[in-house]
Amino acid sequence: MELLIGAGVIAATLRLATPIAFAALGGVITERSGVTNIALEGCMLFGAFFGILAADKTGSAPLAVLIGLLAGTVLAAVHAVASVTWRADQIVTGMALNILALGVTSYLNYEIYGSGVPSGVPLLPALNLDFLAGVPFVGGVIGHQNVLVWLALVLVIVLQLYMFRTVAGLRLRAVGEHPRAADTVGIDVRRTRYWAVLASGGLAALGGVYLTVADTGSFTDGLTNGRGFIGLAAMIFGRWTPVGALVASLIFGYGDALSVSLQGVSIGDLRIPVQLLSTIPYLLTILAVAGFVGRSRPPAADGVPYESEGH
Amino acid sequence: MIAPRPERERGTAATVVATPLVPLLEMRGIRKRFGELQALDGVDLVVNEGEIHALVGENGAGKTTLMNILYGLYHPDAGTIRYRGREVRITGPRDAIALGIGMIHQHFMLVPPLTVAENVVLGDERGGPPLDTRAIEQRVRALEERFGIVVEPSARIEDIPLGLQQRVEILKVLYRGSELLIFDEPTAVLTPQEVDELFVIVRQLRAEGKTLILITHKLREVLAVTDRITVLRQGRNAAQLVTKETNAAEIAKAMVGRELKELKARAATGTSLPILQISRLEALSDRGTPALRGVDLVVREGEIVGVAGVGGNGQSELAQCILGLRPVTEGTITVGGADITRDPPKRTRARGVAYVPEDRRVEGLVLPFTVADNFILGKQDREPYARRGVLEREAIAKDGDRLAKDFDVRPPNAKVIVGTLSGGNQQKVVLGREISESPRLIVISQPTRGLDIAATEYVHERLLEQRARGCGILLISSELDEIRALSDRIAVMFEGRIVATLDAADATEDRLGLLMAGHAEAASH
Ligand SMILES: Nc1ncnc2c1ncn2[C@@H]1O[C@H](COP(=O)(O)OP(=O)(O)OP(=O)(O)O)[C@@H](O)[C@H]1O
Ligand SMILES: [Mg+2]
């Protein structure tokens, strides 16, 4: 039982879900505006590398967060120019940027650190909620989580409110569903999409910063290992809402946590196949996309470049 | 709350058009070119305050382009726009809205998952950053009361019928304080009842002091509600008319440049041989509710059977069942005696069934393909168009040009992308593809929706030609005039059943209207 729902597993779930959730939030913002951004993987990798580079060179963890975030935003800006201004195919552009990000970070990593890894960089602290120390379970789960874990949770709420309870959120959704309708009532479609894509890059980069500057304290080539894509899956599973994306990220995180905690455990003669276990979230995603687990429908103009008429 | 606008003093007789010194809107010498095509070639449009001004002309005459320029969606190559006597530059919808110009678009500009109220205020939410849903809905409700236009503000657009969606479009424009309202073919997608309701609203708006520009292909509507008429032909002004002093024939002549032919009186050609027999047919709608509840229907060779009814009473599903596009849950369909109830479309079509769907842009054509490629859809795997799985480009091009000429597609060039053709010409491509195979049965839905009078005439003539050849035709249309002009017999559909089948001679408009509204007993007297 302890292995399935113990405080240790749940705390690990939260930790493992955080980078996925950042990417998923980015995905929600950009796709709600009508731009697909699969370069979130690359943005995350940028955040991870430039974050730890900044931490190493400046010695300041907060500065590392800022610089990592900026790096992801810059990469997303390229995507914004290509997909919003030039109306390029968003999947092709995104894929190219992912490959670019992998190359750039691996190259710089080699040039700067050789085969060695930066060590002794300042890390982002955990929030130690000592008053929870005596509370069973809760204390174990949230008593010592990193500040970025908390930031992710706060952002989920902020973005949920932004999306569905503000005027700007209404406009964002309108642009993603029917850009021409938004255009005809005077909403600037391009500007809305630019901001959304930039924000998505920044959010995904925060996930990357978390991986290096909060979690591992080191960087290896291709460290993000598909977490940006898993974030996109969480976005779909969460039906393009921030809260839904968080729930989905937690499910994915739980899958990861289980495959760690159940490593080598067996029931009777049967060794639990953890690798198969951790595929369950992705099977759920496929079912969700196929419409078996309730309907999950993308914004109508998702991935479709917008061309204003006439000249 | 909406600040009440000071009401202007108005003459009591709303139909009297006083000519003020300065017109509300004066567009002069407007020119607009799209690539090779001079869409507008120096057009003038003068609209007086408080009138309903009809803008008419054939498909592709440039009506929508002119209005898009006025609304700032297109920028003119040349020409001036004066509004209230002042020269203005309109560089985008925002400028137009600020001037008091609003547009109800041909294709609605509504965001389906948002509510009515959200759509009305979108872009001009007044307040925020928090979105105060209650305040917005209240504001929309107040607006609805003021203009007598009723739609539930909290309903989602995707859940309400087209007629109501259009009201939301009107509310959107009124909310922005527009004084000049542009309606681009507002009646094309409406049922006859919805059209009547729209015109009540239109007259009310004029009584409120609004000015309206109305684009329509239906001369009956022009004569019924407008004050003055501007006719465009091929990007030029063809006539300026005062509605009271003109008639349908004169307007039609200005539009087409020639007299229209009367449909010839038709000798009965029907044999007694049934080509299509449907019995006790049942099927479900997309939502899983019963759409057809036991339909019985026969179409004979050389006969046109019209299916009348308010949209959504099962007509679309009926056509789809015949073609094999929708599963039949009960009953049978035979064509020429062969049971096709469960046949896939390809097999049904191989039996000589042609299909012209109601939405040519979605079901009838592949818009980014050329005219020639659209002509061979469905026979692309057969000789002479393909040999051993490889397309024969030459044969396709040759036949494309021939068909384009035969069916009067303009321009008569089969290399043109279908999506750039006007609606009428797109319809000719679908029709050409379907009837060039000499079908035994044609199932045709809304054959002239959005078409101008010349194109309508053309389509009607082709259908009568097919009938004379001995082809059976099932004609589904929401235009009663069309059904009555073409059909030998008329079946009225209501709630998934055929409630009556009348001979054309007995089908008065009143009787049909009663039957369509579900009053079967009243109609039998
Ligand atoms: N964006 C565009 N690009 C190229 N050609 C265009 C464009 N918009 C319109 N046209 C062409 O300009 C001409 C005028 O089109 P417009 O839509 O104004 O006609 P219309 O009078 O509104 O016709 P309809 O009655 O079919 O709505 C047509 O030949 C059309 O194909
Ligand atoms: Mg038009």
Side-chain angles (χ1 to χ4, degrees), chain A residues 164-168 170-171 173-174 177-178 180-188 295 297 308-311, chain B residues 32 71 73-75 93-94 97 105 108-111 113-114 118 122-123 125 127-131 172 176:
Chain A
F164 296 103
R165 295 269 183 276
T166 70
V167 167
L170 179 71
R171 293 180 176 189
R173 285 183 286 141
E177 289 286 344
H178 196 332
R180 175 133 303 149
D183 195 6
T184 53
V185 293
I187 295 172
D188 192 333
R295 206 171 58 123
R297 194 184 54 120
S308 55
E309 289 176 274
H311 305 285
Chain B
K32 177 72 186 175
Y71 194 61
L73 287 170
Y74 290 167
H75 305 300
R94 234 185 288 230
I97 294 168
H105 299 266
F108 294 163
M109 293 296 168
L110 299 172
V111 186
L114 300 188
E118 285 170 337
L122 186 67
E125 298 84 353
L131 185 68
K172 244 172 98 172
R176 287 164 174 77

Side-chain angles (χ1 to χ4, degrees), chain B residues 320-326 328 333 338-349 351:
Chain B
Q320 290 161 355
C321 282
I322 298 171
L323 263 292
L325 296 167
R326 180 176 292 274
V328 171
I333 307 171
D339 188 335
I340 61 152
T341 315
R342 315 223 174 270
D343 281 359
K346 192 165 173 139
R347 204 173 309 155
T348 300
R349 297 180 65 109
R351 290 190 192 278

Side-chain angles (χ1 to χ4, degrees), chain A residues 120-298:
Chain A
V121 300
L123 293 187
L124 286 162
L127 273 188
N128 290 318
L129 306 176
D130 293 331
F131 62 92
L132 287 177
V135 188
F137 192 72
V138 177
V141 174
I142 59 171
H144 303 282
Q145 290 290 2
N146 193 272
V147 284
L148 280 188
V149 175
W150 288 103
L151 179 64
L153 294 176
V154 170
L155 278 176
V156 167
I157 295 164
V158 169
L159 287 176
Q160 182 81 18
L161 292 176
Y162 171 82
M163 196 90 70
F164 296 103
R165 295 269 183 276
T166 70
V167 167
L170 179 71
R171 293 180 176 189
L172 178 81
R173 285 183 286 141
V175 166
E177 289 286 344
H178 196 332
R180 175 133 303 149
D183 195 6
T184 53
V185 293
I187 295 172
D188 192 333
V189 174
R190 282 177 22 153
R191 202 159 82 190
T192 309
R193 290 189 164 181
Y194 255 91
W195 280 116
V197 175
L198 292 183
S200 76
L203 283 163
L206 284 179
V209 170
Y210 173 82
L211 288 173
T212 51
V213 187
D215 198 25
T216 60
S218 71
F219 182 86
T220 49
D221 295 349
L223 163 107
T224 50
N225 196 20
R227 283 188 185 79
F229 288 112
I230 295 168
L232 289 176
M235 163 197 79
I236 295 170
F237 195 49
R239 300 187 193 186
W240 285 267
T241 66
V243 168
L246 172 68
V247 171
S249 302
L250 287 172
I251 295 175
F252 290 1
Y254 183 62
D256 281 350
L258 272 193
S259 57
V260 175
S261 85
L262 294 183
Q263 202 90 55
V265 178
S266 33
I267 302 172
D269 283 344
L270 181 74
R271 204 179 58 79
I272 293 177
V274 287
Q275 290 85 351
L276 281 186
L277 210 61
S278 58
T279 61
I280 288 174
Y282 309 109
L283 286 177
L284 284 181
T285 304
I286 294 173
L287 293 180
V289 179
F292 288 111
V293 189
R295 206 171 58 123
S296 189
R297 194 184 54 120

Side-chain angles (χ1 to χ4, degrees), chain B residues 360 364-379 396 414 416-419 429-430 433-434:
Chain B
R360 55 187 165 259
L365 296 166
V366 182
L367 293 179
F369 281 16
T370 63
V371 170
D373 287 348
N374 271 286
F375 271 136
I376 64 151
L377 284 183
K379 27 191 169 173
I396 294 171
V416 181
I417 301 295
V418 159
V429 174
V430 182
R433 176 180 72 217
E434 296 299 319

